[in-house]
Amino acid sequence: MNRRLVLALALLGVAATLTGVIVARMIGGSDMALKGGTWLPNRRPVAEFHLQDLAGHEFGLPQLQGHPTLLFFGFTSCPDVCPTTLATLAQAERANPLPGTQVLFVSIDPQRDTPATLGAYLRAFSSDFIGIRGDDAALAPLLKSLSAIAVKQPLPDGGYTMDHSATLYLLDTHGRLAAVFSPPFDVSGLEDDLRHIATTGAL
């Protein structure tokens, strides 16, 4: 990854952390201390959105109901941030610190991330990871609702890459934003945080 993109992603991580802290303070302060994230004691609803899973079925708010969700925006051509995060999530998934949690990977590059491409990519990490996709218009409500960004950046060779938020979002069993985790992610720290959340029954 070039230095400009590294700097951009680092700034995104800092911004996400600051945003989480500010939001938590605005709504009354955090009532749960997390090692690698910010807990939001008052949940933030996720806006209605309409994307598709890899089988072509609609995926929206109803599919977020009934279980916690760890959501991450990314793309299969991502050189390091996305695979590193997915590898971390795969390790955490095997430890199962927050039972019933689904891992949701939202592609921000539908032009290249076909269902077949996205499916093969996710299976390299876990057969249980869920991939969803949609065009820019369909993605916009979810991105905006979670204060995330995804911007196409042209490359000198005529191709492009995607600058995007590297935040990990934890949604509760009602599909509301409950916590945000900012990179760099630490497997043991993430597992400890999720296990702590599980023991409190906060979701």
Side-chain angles (χ1 to χ4, degrees):
M1 183 181 292
N2 60 45
R3 293 179 63 186
R4 178 191 59 77
L5 188 53
V6 170
L7 177 60
L9 291 174
L11 291 174
L12 286 174
V14 171
T17 301
L18 291 174
T19 298
V21 171
I22 292 170
V23 169
R25 288 177 177 173
M26 288 176 61
I27 58 182
S30 176
D31 59 356
M32 186 184 304
L34 301 178
K35 294 180 179 180
T38 301
W39 178 258
L40 306 180
N42 291 342
R43 314 296 162 77
R44 194 169 87 191
V46 173
E48 184 175 354
F49 65 96
H50 300 279
L51 297 172
Q52 291 186 327
D53 65 19
L54 301 185
H57 301 136
E58 181 167 316
F59 194 104
L61 289 178
Q63 285 68 44
L64 298 178
Q65 306 294 315
H67 37 66
T69 300
L70 283 168
L71 182 152
F72 185 75
F73 294 99
F75 63 114
T76 63
S77 300
C78 181
D80 47 21
V81 173
C82 298
T84 299
T85 301
L86 289 173
T88 298
L89 289 171
Q91 292 183 62
E93 180 189 54
R94 288 192 289 272
N96 196 30
L98 183 56
T101 301
Q102 66 178 4
V103 174
L104 185 62
F105 184 83
V106 184
S107 171
I108 55 168
D109 188 14
Q111 180 178 334
R112 293 182 294 193
D113 290 351
T114 65
T117 299
L118 186 53
Y121 179 75
L122 292 178
R123 284 193 298 274
F125 299 96
S126 171
S127 59
D128 294 322
F129 285 1
I130 300 170
I132 61 174
R133 58 189 297 279
D135 60 24
D136 291 343
L139 280 167
L142 184 58
L143 287 166
K144 182 177 180 181
S145 181
L146 295 175
S147 301
I149 66 165
V151 181
K152 183 181 290 188
Q153 295 291 350
L155 296 174
D157 63 4
Y160 68 89
T161 189
M162 300 294 297
D163 285 352
H164 64 96
S165 301
T167 303
L168 183 61
Y169 304 89
L170 176 63
L171 309 180
D172 69 10
T173 56
H174 299 286
R176 301 171 301 183
L177 182 62
V180 292
F181 298 89
S182 300
F185 301 113
D186 173 73
V187 176
S188 61
L190 180 61
E191 290 177 2
D192 286 346
D193 282 342
L194 295 178
R195 193 172 291 111
H196 178 49
I197 292 170
T199 59
T200 64
L203 296 183

